[in-house]
Amino acid sequence: MAPSSVVVTIDKSSNISLVEVDGDSETSVFLEKQKTASTKQFSWLLLLKAQRFLSFFPWLTMGVSKTVVSVKKRIALSDSIKDEVKYKERIMYRFIRAFLAISVVALVVEIFAYYQNWDLNFIPNEAMGLLHLSYMGWISFRAEYIAPSVTMLSQFCVLLFLIQSLDRFILGIGFFWIKFKKIKPMIDIDDQSYDVEDPSTFPMVLVQIPMCNEREVYQQSIAAACQLDWPKDRILIQILDDSSDELLQILIRNEVYSWQEKGVNIIYRHRFVRTGYKAGNLHSAMSCDYVKNYEFVAILDADFQPNPDFLKLTVPHFKGKPDLGLVQARWSFVNKDENLLTRLQNINLCFHFEVEQQVNGHFLNFFGFNGTAGVWRIKALEESGGWLERTTVEDMDIAVRAHLNGWKFIYLNDVRVLCELPESYEAYKKQQHRWHSGPMQLFRLCLPAILSSKISKWKKANLIFLFFLLRKMILPFYSFTLFCVILPLTMFIPEAELPIWVICYVPVTMSILNILPSPKSFPFLMPYLLFENTMSVTKFNAMISGLFQLGSAYEWVVTKKTGRSSESDLLAFAERESKSFNEEKIQRRLSESGLEMLGKLKEQEINPVNEKKKNKIYRRELALAFLLLTAAARSLLSAHGIHFYFLLFQGLSFLVVGLDLIGEQVN
């Protein structure tokens, strides 16, 4: 036999006999079988892919149907009449609605022109028909008269955008320099003005907790303040209650009494007339005669829970620094992973504290006081004019005036105080409105004082151009104008089209810089970018109302708290102990009126009022959503690519916010 042959012998040769297979024929047979098997496998693979593809449609249909049902419920549960009255008088909403109507009409015309095979970008040599001629006349008019104005406005916004991006980039460099050099404020151990090891030499510290109807958090905030590690005869805790609920006043008062019985130096103050909001509350507390015996004051909002060593980590920084007016600690959030809204807020605030506050504190010795989690030298407050009721940002007001008077600030990034983030869009929106309208009020009031102050020209320029104009006014202005007005407008005026780098590359780069201080948030990069553009409408409206003193500029709404636990065993124990003696304290201290209140409390416990959570329809955001989606449809006709995707997803982002589909519902 040939070397390339194969002999197979079968015992039962009745059916099968000797088979001789040539080597070449054997290879061809195996290849034939392999090809047949591969064809079958490929067919099964195609069938499997088709099955998966077809199974996607029921899943998609179910998801869309559930979303539609959820949207219907939210619309049905919304207080549309109240919202209509609220928004009917707003100029911005009217402008957006008119803009949307014009865009829809323009889209209909463009679609008609598209199916008539009329060129959407240039004028042909011949125009046939009256309608076609009118359309070509519109193209000629927009190219000659409208496009130049839109182009100039877009170039101005792009310039502001680049300036703001440069500011963020420089802040980022400062942040990395601090991290690389491991720079942080140090306590002056050479100064012996007081010895932290000897309790009798500790400075006198006043702790103030302003609150107003803070039912969910008053116990944990009082407990946290009473657990501060400081000599009892060197500290006084003031509970500054502006609550309008009489039952809540009794609960807070008795919580204070329970801590007094444990030997804590704590007092309760209530104002019958709530003027000036938080600023008025703090001003009233500082007017007490005994305040002159104290050197420092620590301010803690009602939802803030400092660690017991908070004062020992902050107050010693004042040693040997007679010109130091403020020591600010960082906020840390107990509910940052609660929902998508809190995650996005955490990104923003991490950049604010890690980068802005830390860089400005190290290189300029100045930053905006955050209103809480800080310790002030009382002398600095008094020499700067004290708390004023002229704006809704009393914390920034006192910080600017102290800076103009030569006081320096220190920011401690490694000292953190627990607090909570707003979990509903309604609460977050009201908070952001106050945070962005107040600085514009303050800028109008402080500009003459800044110009006439004795600080250096560099510090004046920093206050006016960086602190106020760039970070408080320009940012919301260009963000809203560029991405919510000019971009959809350029879809109908292609002669003024924005370049791709403005729409995509620079915003993504800036968002990456914002997320760097919280690297775990990188998966939320695109939602963060879209949400920040969505919030620009609220911030822009607040900025305009504050700058021109419109009706909502002085609106102050206390941010709704949920009372998230800090998971501290000590605080939880104090809270349980306070609850166990609550009824006995009320009955013992408050006689007949107290017994009446106790009866009401028991009645509330037996028949709790379960308020249904409501959804709100935000008409301004919905109008912008439909405007951007209309512009996306126009972009699709012209095959703009990245412009279409950005407009589509930004429109969907506005739609989600407008239907209150982000965050928790509100009571």
Side-chain angles (χ1 to χ4, degrees), residues 10 28 123 145 161 210 228-229 351 420 436 600 621:
I10 307 299
S28 63
I123 303 176
Y145 296 102
F161 185 25
L228 289 172
D229 186 11
F351 180 85
E420 65 176 68
H436 285 81
K600 291 181 181 180
E621 283 80 357

Side-chain angles (χ1 to χ4, degrees), residues 133-410:
L133 183 62
S134 301
Y135 179 71
M136 294 306 139
W138 153 245
I139 293 180
S140 176
F141 176 78
R142 80 184 185 194
E144 188 172 352
Y145 296 102
I146 301 179
S149 301
V150 176
T151 301
M152 288 181 60
L153 181 60
S154 63
Q155 289 175 350
F156 177 67
C157 289
V158 169
L159 177 62
L160 297 179
F161 185 25
L162 294 177
I163 294 174
Q164 194 268 340
S165 301
L166 179 63
D167 176 60
R168 291 290 175 100
F169 183 71
I170 294 174
L171 287 174
I173 293 177
F175 165 72
F176 284 114
W177 177 260
I178 291 173
K179 289 294 182 182
F180 177 73
K181 291 292 186 178
K182 298 180 180 180
I183 301 172
K184 63 178 182 179
M186 303 298 294
I187 298 174
D188 185 5
I189 59 176
D190 296 329
D191 188 89
Q192 300 297 327
S193 57
Y194 64 89
D195 184 5
V196 294
E197 300 297 333
D198 184 4
S200 63
T201 63
F202 275 53
M204 299 289 286
V205 177
L206 183 66
V207 178
Q208 295 179 335
I209 306 179
M211 58 178 63
C212 179
N213 297 323
E214 310 279 4
R215 181 181 291 271
E216 296 81 7
V217 295
Y218 76 91
Q219 284 183 319
Q220 62 191 38
S221 63
I222 294 175
C226 292
Q227 297 292 334
L228 289 172
D229 186 11
W230 203 257
K232 293 182 180 180
D233 59 339
R234 314 296 290 177
I235 185 174
L236 173 64
I237 301 172
Q238 285 182 318
I239 306 302
L240 311 177
D241 184 24
D242 267 2
S243 301
S244 57
D245 187 345
E246 293 183 3
L247 295 178
L248 182 57
Q249 293 173 25
I250 293 175
L251 291 175
I252 298 174
R253 187 184 299 116
N254 282 275
E255 184 73 15
V256 171
Y257 289 158
S258 68
W259 285 102
Q260 285 179 349
E261 291 176 351
K262 298 173 186 177
V264 177
N265 194 11
I266 181 173
I267 61 174
Y268 174 86
R269 297 186 81 254
H270 178 264
R271 296 193 305 160
F272 292 99
V273 180
R274 188 189 172 213
T275 59
Y277 304 109
K278 181 180 176 182
N281 199 358
L282 293 173
H283 177 76
S284 174
M286 293 298 293
S287 63
C288 297
D289 292 336
Y290 53 79
V291 172
K292 63 184 179 182
N293 299 324
Y294 293 84
E295 186 177 357
F296 304 105
V297 55
I299 301 173
L300 300 167
D301 280 353
D303 60 317
F304 279 71
Q305 305 168 48
N307 291 328
D309 60 352
F310 171 72
L311 293 179
K312 287 190 173 181
L313 294 175
T314 54
V315 175
H317 283 276
F318 289 96
K319 291 176 57 177
K321 303 181 182 73
D323 58 347
L324 180 61
L326 168 67
V327 175
Q328 173 73 60
R330 179 180 173 169
W331 298 1
S332 182
F333 310 106
V334 297
N335 61 337
K336 61 183 179 182
D337 298 324
E338 186 65 25
N339 54 45
L340 179 60
L341 179 61
T342 58
R343 290 177 184 271
L344 298 179
Q345 291 179 67
N346 181 59
I347 295 173
N348 239 349
L349 291 172
C350 276
F351 180 85
H352 171 69
F353 286 108
E354 286 269 1
V355 181
E356 287 184 341
Q357 298 291 76
Q358 192 169 201
V359 171
N360 290 329
H362 174 70
F363 292 102
L364 301 176
N365 296 121
F366 167 72
F367 47 81
F369 174 45
N370 295 120
T372 179
V375 181
W376 277 93
R377 190 188 297 271
I378 294 180
K379 182 181 178 181
L381 290 176
E382 294 173 346
E383 290 186 357
S384 303
W387 300 103
L388 299 180
E389 305 169 11
R390 56 183 183 173
T391 70
T392 57
V393 284
E394 75 294 326
D395 46 5
M396 186 182 294
D397 188 0
I398 188 62
V400 171
R401 286 184 281 118
H403 180 57
L404 295 179
N405 279 275
W407 292 99
K408 295 181 179 180
F409 303 162
I410 283 180

Side-chain angles (χ1 to χ4, degrees), residues 377-585:
R377 190 188 297 271
I378 294 180
K379 182 181 178 181
L381 290 176
E382 294 173 346
E383 290 186 357
S384 303
W387 300 103
L388 299 180
E389 305 169 11
R390 56 183 183 173
T391 70
T392 57
V393 284
E394 75 294 326
D395 46 5
M396 186 182 294
D397 188 0
I398 188 62
V400 171
R401 286 184 281 118
H403 180 57
L404 295 179
N405 279 275
W407 292 99
K408 295 181 179 180
F409 303 162
I410 283 180
Y411 174 73
L412 303 178
N413 191 58
D414 55 347
V415 180
R416 307 195 174 197
V417 180
L418 289 173
C419 61
E420 65 176 68
L421 294 163
E423 296 183 9
S424 69
Y425 179 70
E426 174 71 10
Y428 180 62
K429 184 177 180 180
K430 290 179 179 178
Q431 180 197 70
Q432 291 300 302
H433 185 278
R434 176 165 54 87
W435 285 6
H436 285 81
S437 65
M440 291 299 97
Q441 304 168 23
L442 183 61
F443 178 66
R444 295 176 69 258
L445 296 170
C446 282
L447 183 57
I450 295 174
L451 295 175
S452 61
S453 65
K454 296 180 180 180
I455 61 176
S456 65
K457 293 181 179 179
W458 158 244
K459 291 184 178 180
K460 290 181 181 179
N462 173 67
L463 269 177
I464 295 174
F465 296 107
L466 294 181
F467 186 75
F468 279 113
L469 292 181
L470 183 62
R471 296 167 189 166
K472 302 298 187 297
M473 186 171 72
I474 289 178
L475 177 58
F477 170 77
Y478 88 74
S479 183
F480 171 75
T481 306
L482 189 63
F483 296 110
C484 300
V485 177
I486 295 178
L487 180 58
L489 191 62
T490 55
M491 294 301 101
F492 300 98
I493 307 175
E495 295 84 358
E497 183 177 357
L498 289 174
I500 293 179
W501 63 269
V502 175
I503 303 301
C504 180
Y505 304 135
V506 175
V508 170
T509 304
M510 290 302 102
S511 298
I512 291 175
L513 288 178
N514 283 4
I515 288 181
L516 282 179
S518 54
K520 294 182 179 179
S521 301
F522 264 96
F524 302 95
L525 175 65
M526 293 312 297
Y528 170 73
L529 174 60
L530 295 173
F531 182 71
E532 280 301 294
N533 289 336
T534 304
M535 284 302 301
S536 66
V537 61
T538 297
K539 296 176 181 179
F540 177 80
N541 183 48
M543 183 266 293
I544 293 296
S545 65
L547 189 62
F548 297 102
Q549 291 184 302
L550 301 181
S552 60
Y554 293 94
E555 179 183 4
W556 180 289
V557 179
V558 178
T559 305
K560 181 67 176 176
K561 313 296 192 310
T562 59
R564 296 289 178 188
S565 173
S566 65
E567 299 180 358
S568 170
D569 294 337
L570 189 59
L571 297 182
F573 172 76
E575 183 177 349
R576 289 195 302 269
E577 189 178 28
S578 175
K579 286 182 178 179
S580 64
F581 290 101
N582 192 41
E583 292 185 2
E584 180 183 350
K585 289 180 293 182

